[in-house]
Amino acid sequence: RQIVLSLRNFSRLDQSEIKCVDIHEGIDSTLLILQHRLRPNGDSKGIEVIKTYGELPLVECFASQLNQVFMNVLSNAIDALEEANSASEPSKIWITTDIIEQQVVIIRIADNGVGISADVQSRIFDPFFTLKPIGKGTGLGLSISYEIIVEKHRGLFKCDSEPGKGTEFWIEIPVKQATR
């Protein structure tokens, strides 16, 4: 029942317009959908998710599109952690939310995976760019996410990473969308 409710919340099929939503609910629904990839199985010890949620107001956004951004970023973090598969250091994802002057919401999603070189970072939002093997990725997830955050929500989407040190995606969106 909980998975069905989360899928419904995640997709927001009944809400294709801008609505005021709880960002944490969208993140939590995405994590529930991805739980099978976070749990220990086979050689994997599992991935620990550390959430540090700030007190956020409801945010005007295209909820299903924003949830898709969370799915893309979290899936990529899980992929990076699976690639790292470090026996010495437990795999972790940190999700932090905050608000600036009651006007801009910040969502940071970080991992302790393999990291990304500066050369790759400069191309990470390009359509069809992927580091995944053929058949594993389309190279569209982050370019679509960039479009959703920057163009649709008039926000900011950036990546900070260093090889061997992990990656952090930084998302900023206004609490209220300007009239178009």
Side-chain angles (χ1 to χ4, degrees), residues 47 76-86 89-94 110-116 161-168:
I47 299 168
N76 283 343
I78 293 167
D79 290 344
L81 290 166
E82 287 174 348
E83 185 182 326
N85 200 11
S86 172
E89 190 175 348
S91 296
K92 295 182 181 179
I93 294 174
W94 293 267
D111 66 63
N112 62 341
V114 294
I116 305 168
S161 185
E162 190 177 324
K165 305 252 185 192
T167 302
E168 178 177 79

Side-chain angles (χ1 to χ4, degrees), residues 148-157 171-174 177:
I148 290 169
I149 297 300
V150 176
E151 293 177 23
K152 297 249 181 187
H153 289 93
R154 297 183 176 143
L156 176 70
F157 189 39
I171 300 164
E172 287 184 19
I173 58 169
Q177 290 296 311

Side-chain angles (χ1 to χ4, degrees), residues 112-129:
N112 62 341
V114 294
I116 305 168
S117 69
D119 176 51
V120 171
Q121 280 184 64
S122 69
R123 300 170 47 209
I124 204 156
F125 299 120
D126 293 351
F128 306 110
F129 179 78

Side-chain angles (χ1 to χ4, degrees), residues 136-150:
K136 281 282 191 179
T138 61
L140 291 173
L142 290 178
S143 68
I144 289 169
S145 295
Y146 185 88
E147 183 180 319
I148 290 169
I149 297 300
V150 176

Side-chain angles (χ1 to χ4, degrees), residues 35-95:
Q35 71 181 338
H36 69 284
R37 295 193 61 202
L38 298 168
R39 289 186 181 144
N41 63 11
D43 294 337
S44 168
K45 294 179 183 174
I47 299 168
E48 181 182 359
V49 177
I50 300 140
K51 298 185 289 187
T52 308
Y53 288 168
E55 287 193 34
L56 302 182
L58 295 179
V59 177
E60 272 185 4
C61 65
F62 295 97
S64 64
Q65 292 179 10
L66 194 58
N67 288 344
Q68 188 62 52
V69 171
F70 300 149
M71 179 66 77
N72 290 337
V73 174
L74 287 165
S75 293
N76 283 343
I78 293 167
D79 290 344
L81 290 166
E82 287 174 348
E83 185 182 326
N85 200 11
S86 172
S88 61
E89 190 175 348
S91 296
K92 295 182 181 179
I93 294 174
W94 293 267
I95 304 170

